[in-house]
């Protein structure tokens, strides 16, 4: 097919219109369907084979409390995690029916000022590790141990609302259908005794169901500004961080390129090992040996490339519809202006400019689509480098227990350097600049340290020391201190979240046994923001408002396809104790101008 000609055909426009309608339909259906249906089922009779099953144990919570207590944590239209048991004394008032508004709960971070004692002498680390031992002793199938708080609104007797914030809570994730109320009650009693030994009596304990899981050619383009017609679609083939990558022989798996470094004149990229090494390849150390075949890495796996093409066609289809409406407006205003209507004459100029600009956007998008089909469809043209080193994935690495899940790729400089920007993140177009700044600093009385770059390319300059993770740098809209962070990943694009001040314990289950690790934890921004990450975001850099890189995203806890909490390996440890040990001459922040 001659793609340069085909993109101007009626057949191509029909494909674009179909993609636009398909994308619009998928967007409108999100958050509804089975989730809304499940909410109605809560008021049906009990049935052990359905969602309406009630925990019959002596300490099991009611059906409505189990499924509605955490409502809002994953968004207002999505069910929260299932509650198994809690020690908190707040009273849950169940709604009388599915049409009644539900209480909306939000997950909050915990920092030293919320519980000063836990921050002294690594006490939380000691309690967290001993909690894991107690849970194992009680045969609880834990998936995570997190330190959290919750916030919700309650109505007072005079009809006004008041904000309620829970006590600090040890929030324990357990595998679905593995624990009942009695088992949770018994293990919670042991944890309470543990807290008493440390003279702590102001912490609650709660259990919820959860799964911990990993989130797995041509010269690349320079990033474009907000006025460029390709700004909404070109991101995945430009040089800033968060490129979607896959193995040449494992194109069904896709992840995110986290950061770059240099050794001499050579350029390297880093992602998570599980992005490029499937379970079937084992967990052996990998180091490229010259006689052996290279383990090539490509830009975008099969799905990523198909999704990019579909998004371009959908965008063209939407703009085609816009042209139809604008042409009607130009025609009607031309007639009214000819009749002497001065306001119509003024508006006509604006409508005509809008129409001309829209047609120019369509032309540029069609050219870009043709270029991708012609130059990028052949997968070998998308090879950007090869793996040179990847140690086995290990958890509980001394001294802090962090995850080592890393893969180093030697990159093809010829494809990246012509438009290279170094360790920089394109903040994307999904969140406009004004809103992004408000998300990071939502209060007028808290000094903003974030400087939104005029070209959206956010340069990373320093590593946040792991000890600083516990220190909040901002406040949310209600005045709760927190540290806002953000990332750009393949699946969820740009998201903003809250970095918890205390690290979590994560456990994954697999055919070869359990995998335990200690992780930096990021909570969703609020009830409407959606998860901070999903599958495919693994490897992305989690960064802060001071041009600092904080952690490498490795996994999450929550239901399949979503997350309640995102986990990452602190960058200070990953860089100094993993990367620099293997590459002692590695440089993370370097002069980019010398490469161009």
């Amino acid at each position: 097919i001659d793609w340069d000609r085909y993109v101007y055909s009626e057949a191509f426009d029909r494909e674009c219109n179909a993609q636009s309608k398909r994308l619009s339909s998928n967007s409108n259906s999100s958050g509804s369907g089975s989730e809304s249906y499940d909410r109605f089922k809560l008021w049906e009779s009990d049935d052990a084979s359905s969602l309406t099953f009630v925990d019959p144990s002596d300490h099991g919570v009611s059906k409505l409390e189990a499924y509605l207590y955490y409502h809002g944590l994953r968004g207002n239209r999505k069910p929260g995690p299932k509650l198994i048991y809690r020690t908190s004394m707040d009273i849950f008032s169940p709604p009388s029916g599915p049409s009644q508004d539900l209480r909306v709960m939000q997950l909050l971070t915990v920092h030293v000022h919320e519980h000063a004692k836990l921050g002294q002498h690594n006490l939380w680390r000691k309690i967290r590790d001993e909690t894991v031992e107690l849970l194992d002793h009680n045969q609880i199938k834990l998936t995570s141990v997190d330190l959290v708080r919750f916030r919700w609104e309650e109505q007072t007797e005079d009809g006004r609302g008041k904000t309620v914030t829970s006590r600090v809570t040890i929030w324990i994730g357990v595998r679905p259908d593995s624990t009942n109320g009695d088992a949770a009650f018994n293990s919670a009693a042991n944890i309470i005794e543990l807290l008493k030994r440390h003279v702590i009596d102001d912490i609650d304990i709660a259990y919820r169901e959860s799964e911990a899981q990993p989130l797995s050619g041509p010269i690349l383009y320079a990033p474009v500004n907000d006025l460029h017609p390709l700004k909404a679609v070109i991101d995945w083939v430009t040089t800033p961080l968060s490129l979607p990558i896959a193995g040449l022989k494992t194109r069904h798996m896709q992840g995110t390129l986290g950061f770059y470094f240099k050794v001499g004149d050579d350029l390297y990229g880093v992602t998570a090992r599980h992005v490029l090494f499937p379970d079937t390849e084992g967990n052996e150390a990998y180091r490229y040996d010259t006689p052996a075949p290279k383990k090539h890495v490509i830009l975008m796996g099969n799905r990523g490339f198909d999704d990019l093409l579909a998004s371009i066609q959908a965008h063209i289809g939407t703009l085609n519809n816009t042209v139809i409406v604008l042409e009607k407006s130009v025609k009607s205003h031309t007639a009214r202006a000819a009749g002497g209507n001065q306001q119509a004459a003024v508006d006509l100029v604006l409508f005509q400019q809008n129409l001309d600009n829209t047609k120019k956007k369509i032309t540029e998008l069609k050219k870009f689509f043709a270029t991708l089909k012609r130059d990028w469809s052949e997968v070998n043209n998308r090879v950007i480098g090869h793996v040179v080193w990847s140690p086995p994935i290990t958890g509980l690495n001394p001294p802090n227990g962090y995850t080592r899940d890393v893969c180093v790729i030697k990159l093809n400089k010829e494809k990246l350097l012509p438009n290279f920007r170094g360790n920089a993140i394109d903040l994307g177009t999904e969140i406009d600049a004004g809103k992004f700044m408000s998300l990071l600093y939502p209060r007028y009385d808290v000094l903003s340290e974030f400087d939104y770059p005029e070209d959206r390319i956010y340069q990373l300059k320093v590593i946040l020391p792991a000890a600083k993770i516990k220190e909040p740098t901002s406040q949310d809209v209600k005045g709760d201190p927190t540290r806002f962070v953000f990332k750009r990943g393949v699946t969820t694009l740009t998201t903003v979240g809250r970095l918890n001040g205390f690290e979590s314990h994560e456990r994954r289950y697999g055919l070869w046994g359990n995998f335990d690790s200690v992780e930096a934890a990021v909570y969703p921004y609020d009830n409407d923001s959606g998860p901070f990450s999903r599958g495919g975001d693994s490897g992305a850099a989690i960064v802060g408002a001071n041009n600092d890189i904080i952690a490498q995203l490795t996994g999450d806890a929550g239901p399949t396809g979503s997350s309640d909490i995102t986990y990452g390996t602190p960058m200070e440890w990953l860089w100094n104790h993993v990367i620099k040990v293997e590459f002692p001459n590695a440089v993370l922040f370097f002069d980019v101008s010398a490469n161009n």
Side-chain angles (χ1 to χ4, degrees), residues 19 63 101 136 210 247 269 354 376 381 404 460 485 513 568 596:
Q19 287 287 8
K63 173 179 58 179
D101 288 341
D136 285 339
S210 177
N354 199 351
W376 295 70
N381 289 345
R404 185 183 66 185
L460 301 176
V485 296
N596 295 319

Side-chain angles (χ1 to χ4, degrees), residues 243-264:
L243 291 175
I245 59 173
L248 178 61
K249 295 184 177 180
T250 54
R251 298 196 295 274
H252 60 289
M253 301 167 57
Q254 186 161 278
T256 302
L257 189 68
F259 57 93
Y260 301 113
F261 69 85
K262 288 187 69 178
V263 178

Side-chain angles (χ1 to χ4, degrees), residues 23-40 71-72 74-80 102 527-528 530-531 534 561-562:
L23 185 64
S24 177
S25 176
N26 291 340
S27 174
N28 290 334
S29 63
S30 62
S32 57
S34 62
E35 293 169 342
S36 300
Y37 175 69
D38 287 345
R39 178 175 166 184
F40 281 93
H71 173 76
R74 296 172 183 158
N76 287 337
R77 300 183 64 187
K78 296 182 178 180
L102 302 176
N527 301 105
D528 299 318
R534 286 195 176 102
S562 187

Side-chain angles (χ1 to χ4, degrees), residues 513-572:
N514 303 337
F515 177 86
D516 289 79
S517 63
V518 173
E519 307 281 355
V522 180
Y523 301 164
Y525 185 86
D526 59 23
N527 301 105
D528 299 318
S529 63
F532 185 74
S533 64
R534 286 195 176 102
D537 291 331
S538 273
I542 299 172
V543 305
N546 295 310
N547 301 94
D548 46 346
I549 180 169
I550 297 172
Q552 179 197 40
L553 197 156
T554 57
D556 65 21
T560 302
S562 187
S563 68
D564 302 320
I565 298 175
T566 294
Y567 296 124
T569 300
M571 183 64 179
E572 182 185 48

